[in-house]
Amino acid sequence: MAPTHPAETTEARAGSGTQAAGPVTGSGTDRPHHATASVAAILAESADRYPDDVAIIVGEQRITYAELWDQTLAYAGALRAQGVTEGSRVAMLVPNVPDFPRVYYATLALGAVVVPVHALLKRHEIEYVLRDSGAALLVCAAPLLAEGAAGAALAGVDVVTVLAPGDDAATPPRLEALAASSAPLTTYTPRDPFDTATILYTSGTTGQPKGAEGSHFALLEQVNTLLMSTFDMHRGDVLLGALPLFHTFGQTCTMNTGFRTGATIVMLPKFDGATALTAMVEHHCGIFMGVPTMYMALLDAALRSEERPTLRYAISGGASLPLAVLERFQTVFGAPIHEGYGLTETSPVASFNHVGRTPRPGTIGTPIWGIEVEIADPGTTDAVVLLPRGEIGELVIRGHNLMNGYLNRPGDTAAAIVDGWFRTGDLGTKDDQGFLTIVDRTKDMIIRNGYNVYPREVEEVLATHPDVTMAAVFGVPHDLHGQEIAAAVVLGDGATTTSDELVHFVADAIAAYKYPRVVHVLDALPLGPSGKVLKRELVDRFSGAVADAEPTTAG
């Protein structure tokens, strides 16, 4: 079957999310094909093939694949009794506990659409997601009910809960109890491959968050490609499930890919370096996936413990991992790090330092199978004009991993997908061997006195200082220079370096127009739910707090 390109289907899908309600059967369909697919098959098939293998470990609890699928079918029966049908949108506000996959795959088994909600959102943000997605129901974990139930009330959406005490009459209906009194499903409902399976909301760094619609086809093809030719993952591997499952990285690369291959996922409801290190050692984790802040936290925890897991390799994504951090981790943990790149809109992985090949530190590797990643002129918005190898431009992506579009936003979809290419907003280069390097986000680039300054380059220098554990570089408005360069850092225990010393340290290493004029020493950097540094909060906080004095060491 020749798949229709997402750019060609966006207008038809915008506003409705999931087109048809149900499997393609008989001769009455107006569709040009009869193929079916479901992301729910990931868990169903593994439960059939590896029923007694352990799918999830949380603390002392171990759940086999057969048990997890039976529990999922019971939850599906309960959701069906609550009125969830094919094409319904079910929002879920659940941390990294077994109820996340139960609710996720139960929703998909009904032929409904999953809308994962970031666990750190407040009630008005939750209200926005529920209204924008057209959610029919919110499944909310009891510890998150304060904001979740309030947001649902504002949106006029019903709530059922998980993890609530059985004797608490003040909580919404418990999904566990509803499942016990409802008839379970016997299998999953097949869908058209290009029906929407998930609606994942972007972080909203520019304007309101947008709901990216991921199709069953894109999500399944992503998992199969990762297993076939990108990762090295097999039945029986043990993965640390530290990435938040409501985010595309953890949801696809850890959960869907792990379950597809029959791996065991050690779930952490809340990440911290010491807990993660202990869990990896105890359960003999062979693969770790994380964002840069997690690597920094593990390195910090390793300073206070001599225990080390038997890692085969690690995967980093979500943001650029400073080379100094990468090298320290590989030395301390004795495992190579493979960096990759992707976005919510690309399911997520688009390029990767493929496992089995020597990774090239500082790059995001080469495009994964079936995906094209090229460099385009960022100044041409109505067409994609590709640039020669080696030039800096905007990364553009096309292939089987693209979203259907942004829910109810045909204009935003048309601006994002041009000539069949998804415009990422990230700046980078591609060399003659096909290796891609991210320079920075287009929106994060700083223009000082007409010169382009890429924060990542400056962050790489700060990361080499022995006292610095985390660093973020950002631009703030300046009357004379247009923008001025500032930095915020977190220092390690016992560090004695000062802000001025760090300014001099960077000024000695890079050109005079690039170094930060002030370095703010903080206890912690503001992080989003997926572990990314929220630079916009730093810009808001420190705008106007830049000195004009130049260090005497600067050229």
Side-chain angles (χ1 to χ4, degrees):
M1 178 188 73
T4 304
H5 195 279
E8 299 171 344
T9 63
T10 297
E11 294 296 332
R13 295 177 182 277
S16 63
T18 302
Q19 281 282 300
V24 183
T25 57
S27 58
T29 179
D30 58 357
R31 301 179 186 181
H33 56 79
H34 298 271
T36 62
S38 175
V39 174
I42 288 173
L43 183 56
E45 290 279 351
S46 289
D48 183 57
R49 296 169 190 269
Y50 324 121
D52 299 324
D53 288 15
V54 175
I56 295 174
I57 296 175
V58 182
E60 299 300 317
Q61 187 179 16
R62 291 171 175 260
I63 302 172
T64 67
Y65 274 98
E67 291 168 338
L68 185 60
W69 181 236
D70 285 345
Q71 294 159 2
T72 295
L73 292 173
Y75 272 21
L79 293 175
R80 179 174 57 185
Q82 295 298 299
V84 175
T85 60
E86 296 175 36
S88 298
R89 285 81 179 270
V90 176
M92 55 182 297
L93 185 56
V94 181
N96 284 26
V97 295
D99 278 317
F100 189 99
R102 289 177 189 135
V103 174
Y104 181 90
Y105 294 110
T107 300
L108 293 167
L110 284 166
V113 180
V114 183
V115 186
V117 182
H118 282 212
L120 298 185
L121 295 188
K122 299 300 183 181
R123 60 192 63 187
H124 288 291
E125 297 169 309
I126 295 168
E127 176 195 8
Y128 169 81
V129 170
L130 297 179
R131 288 187 184 277
D132 190 73
S133 66
L137 183 72
L138 171 66
V139 181
C140 185
L144 302 175
L145 275 173
E147 298 297 329
L154 291 170
V157 172
D158 290 337
V159 180
V160 297
T161 189
V162 292
L163 302 179
D167 56 354
D168 189 348
T171 61
R174 296 173 59 247
L175 190 57
E176 299 93 334
L178 294 171
S181 60
S182 302
L185 261 67
T186 57
T187 187
Y188 61 87
T189 300
R191 301 293 289 172
D192 181 276
F194 288 96
D195 278 346
T196 295
T198 61
I199 302 174
L200 302 182
Y201 278 80
T202 61
S203 59
T205 54
T206 54
Q208 288 184 313
K210 298 185 288 290
E213 299 187 70
S215 70
H216 290 273
F217 172 80
L219 297 177
L220 290 170
E221 188 67 5
Q222 171 86 179
V223 166
N224 291 337
T225 300
L226 294 181
L227 288 177
M228 189 67 143
S229 58
T230 312
F231 297 168
D232 176 28
M233 191 183 296
H234 308 280
R235 176 188 178 189
D237 275 337
V238 182
L239 323 176
L240 185 71
L243 289 162
L245 295 177
F246 57 73
H247 187 268
T248 182
F249 190 2
Q251 194 177 123
T252 298
C253 297
T254 301
M255 186 178 74
N256 281 339
T257 305
F259 286 161
R260 172 70 174 81
T261 198
T264 297
I265 299 175
V266 180
M267 286 188 174
L268 291 186
K270 185 176 181 180
F271 177 85
D272 69 77
T275 302
L277 179 57
T278 299
M280 285 195 290
V281 171
E282 178 182 354
H283 299 293
H284 307 287
C285 289
I287 302 171
F288 173 72
M289 302 184 193
V291 295
T293 52
M294 291 180 173
Y295 284 89
M296 297 167 190
L298 282 171
L299 283 169
D300 182 62
L303 295 174
R304 293 179 293 279
S305 172
E306 295 183 358
E307 291 189 305
R308 298 291 181 266
T310 53
L311 288 178
R312 196 162 80 246
Y313 66 92
I315 293 171
S316 179
S320 297
L321 183 67
L323 281 172
V325 175
L326 182 149
E327 291 167 355
R328 284 204 295 270
F329 186 93
Q330 292 186 157
T331 298
V332 171
F333 287 89
I337 294 177
H338 295 257
E339 286 191 90
Y341 171 80
L343 308 97
T344 301
E345 295 89 341
T346 61
S347 301
V349 183
S351 67
F352 197 73
N353 276 279
H354 295 58
V355 180
R357 308 176 198 169
T358 302
R360 188 178 293 187
T363 77
I364 54 170
T366 56
I368 67 170
W369 184 90
I371 303 301
E372 296 175 82
V373 184
E374 296 292 346
I375 307 299
D377 177 9
T380 305
T381 59
D382 59 348
V384 169
V385 178
L386 300 183
L387 299 176
R389 294 287 174 97
E391 290 195 21
I392 293 178
E394 181 181 10
L395 273 76
V396 293
I397 301 167
R398 69 180 178 186
H400 53 70
N401 61 343
L402 293 197
M403 64 176 177
N404 284 343
Y406 294 119
L407 178 67
N408 297 329
R409 293 174 180 264
D412 287 331
T413 302
I417 302 178
V418 179
D419 295 339
W421 295 90
F422 177 74
R423 307 195 70 136
T424 67
D426 287 321
L427 295 173
T429 62
K430 186 174 185 179
D431 67 17
D432 289 338
Q433 287 74 48
F435 280 86
L436 296 147
T437 301
I438 294 291
V439 175
D440 232 310
R441 289 285 297 170
T442 303
K443 64 180 180 61
D444 287 341
M445 186 178 71
I446 304 165
I447 303 178
R448 182 183 189 273
N449 285 345
Y451 291 100
N452 293 345
V453 179
Y454 302 105
R456 181 187 175 187
E457 180 184 3
V458 187
E459 290 163 356
E460 292 280 358
V461 176
L462 280 166
T464 64
H465 193 287
D467 285 348
V468 173
T469 60
M470 294 181 66
V473 173
F474 51 96
V476 294
H478 193 278
D479 291 339
L480 178 61
H481 305 302
Q483 282 183 294
E484 190 53 277
I485 303 154
V489 300
V490 176
L491 303 181
D493 293 340
T496 59
T497 191
T498 66
S499 174
D500 287 343
E501 288 171 348
L502 289 172
V503 171
H504 284 270
F505 176 79
V506 181
D508 284 341
I510 58 177
Y513 70 90
K514 296 180 181 179
Y515 70 84
R517 269 51 183 181
V518 63
V519 176
H520 304 280
V521 178
L522 306 180
D523 292 333
L525 297 182
L527 302 178
S530 60
K532 289 185 181 180
V533 177
L534 299 177
K535 291 189 178 182
R536 65 185 182 276
E537 291 191 9
L538 295 172
V539 173
D540 291 343
R541 178 177 176 183
F542 294 115
S543 289
V546 177
D548 288 320
E550 307 283 323
T552 57
T553 54

